[in-house]
């Protein structure tokens, strides 16, 4: 869902987004929910440790990897080697509790076990469902080389800035800890081209690759939806190595 808010209105709106204005889940039905009927989703409870021989989740479709990896409106943010045997592309939203759950419970081991060892490369793409998520991704992009650390902080601090009475001030406090000043913070969130590019990444994901919920993963061309455990991801990745 690509909104037509001006950059100024988006920045202003961050100061007045109450908890009830957030989506009920990490998906977009295409319908405009009434604010009073919508509550923020709670993260899924942590799954018990799965056995080493966990069955791989069933793929929910396929995409052409060459098309998926073509350059988009923004350069891909990547961890890992270009020549890794496995490529993981994740579409996420900064305000999605399921994305935060994956980032906190699965991603660290995924990085240690596969990305840092050169077995897999990981690409994160922006798929914001609301102005707060757009702002979070813009701040990560403005962090330049600290993109992934900023994403990590925003996911870990999600409860402190998503659904609070003044999202703008909450994000500013987090951004200052990451080295932003008031001026650089506002300059980032008033960058119309950056906002347009973030929205273009989302629109391309929806139009070309049928992304309609987050997190959505493409692993060597196969589609998987939902926050997976490390055992589930290992069951997908190991046969590809």
């Amino acid at each position: 869902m690509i909104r037509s808010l001006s950059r100024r209105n988006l920045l202003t709106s961050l100061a007045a987004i109450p908890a009830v204005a957030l989506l009920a889940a990490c998906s977009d039905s295409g319908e405009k929910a009434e604010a009073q009927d919508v509550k923020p989703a709670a993260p899924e409870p942590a799954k018990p440790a799965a056995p080493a021989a966990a069955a791989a989740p069933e793929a929910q479709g396929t995409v052409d990897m060459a098309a998926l990896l073509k350059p988009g409106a923004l350069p891909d943010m990547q961890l890992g080697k270009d020549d890794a045997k496995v490529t993981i592309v994740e579409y996420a939203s900064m305000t999605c509790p399921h994305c935060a759950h994956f980032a906190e419970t699965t991603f660290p081991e995924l990085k240690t076990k596969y990305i840092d060892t050169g077995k897999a490369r990981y690409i994160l793409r922006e798929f914001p469902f609301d102005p707060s998520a757009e702002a979070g991704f813009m701040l990560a992009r403005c962090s330049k080389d600290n993109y992934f650390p900023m994403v990590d902080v925003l996911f870990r601090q999600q409860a402190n800035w998503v659904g609070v009475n003044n999202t703008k001030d909450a994000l500013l406090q987090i951004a200052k800890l990451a080295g932003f000043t008031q001026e650089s913070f506002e300059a980032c969130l008033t960058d119309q081209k950056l906002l347009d590019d973030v929205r273009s990444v989302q629109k391309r994901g929806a139009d070309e690759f049928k992304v309609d919920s987050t997190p959505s993963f493409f692993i060597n061309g196969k589609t998987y939806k939902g926050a997976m455990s490390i055992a589930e991801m290992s069951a997908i990745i190991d046969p590809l190595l």
Side-chain angles (χ1 to χ4, degrees):
M1 179 166 58
I2 307 300
R3 291 169 175 76
S4 59
L5 285 174
S6 71
R7 183 63 259 171
R8 178 179 298 174
N9 286 343
L10 191 157
L11 180 59
T12 302
S13 73
L14 292 178
I17 296 178
V20 294
L22 300 174
L23 295 175
C26 306
S27 62
D28 184 2
S29 66
E31 300 176 355
K32 295 181 179 179
E34 294 298 327
Q36 63 268 24
D37 295 331
V38 182
K39 297 180 180 179
E44 292 179 335
K47 297 179 181 178
E58 185 176 349
Q60 294 171 278
T62 59
V63 297
D64 182 291
M65 281 299 290
L68 182 68
L69 296 177
K70 284 183 180 178
L74 288 168
D76 274 336
M77 304 307 293
Q78 173 181 309
L79 294 173
K81 297 180 178 179
D82 288 339
D83 61 356
K85 289 186 177 181
V86 177
T87 295
I88 303 164
V89 178
E90 177 187 1
Y91 280 87
S93 178
M94 287 306 314
T95 53
C96 169
H98 307 296
C99 298
H101 180 72
F102 174 82
E104 292 183 40
T105 63
T106 300
F107 186 75
E109 192 169 350
L110 177 72
K111 184 174 182 295
T112 299
K113 188 175 181 180
Y114 296 105
I115 300 170
D116 293 346
T117 57
K119 297 176 182 178
R121 66 168 164 166
Y122 168 82
I123 295 168
L124 177 61
R125 288 185 180 166
E126 295 88 349
F127 203 85
F129 281 122
D130 53 71
S132 296
E134 289 175 336
F137 276 128
M138 291 175 74
L139 290 171
R141 285 283 178 175
C142 290
S143 298
K144 306 295 184 182
D145 292 342
N146 289 320
Y147 177 88
F148 283 106
M150 189 66 178
V151 166
D152 181 65
V153 167
L154 289 172
F155 273 140
R156 290 181 183 278
Q157 295 289 321
Q158 194 180 74
N160 294 327
W161 64 276
V162 175
V164 299
N165 287 330
N166 192 322
T167 298
K168 178 184 175 183
D169 284 353
L171 277 175
L172 176 60
Q173 296 310 308
I174 296 171
K176 282 183 175 179
L177 295 175
F180 283 82
T181 63
Q182 177 88 34
E183 292 73 21
S184 62
F185 174 82
E186 295 197 1
C188 179
L189 295 187
T190 52
D191 186 336
Q192 182 64 46
K193 184 179 186 305
L194 179 56
L195 173 64
D196 292 343
D197 287 345
V198 167
R199 290 175 172 174
S200 292
V201 172
Q202 186 207 37
K203 187 175 189 300
R204 181 187 176 211
D207 292 349
E208 295 187 26
F209 310 117
K210 309 307 177 187
V211 178
D212 59 4
S213 63
T214 58
S216 285
F217 299 92
F218 297 94
I219 303 177
N220 279 19
K222 292 186 177 181
T223 307
Y224 302 89
K225 296 184 179 182
M228 293 182 282
S229 68
I230 188 62
E232 290 171 321
M233 295 207 79
S234 294
I236 297 169
I237 295 170
D238 287 346
L240 303 174
L241 298 175

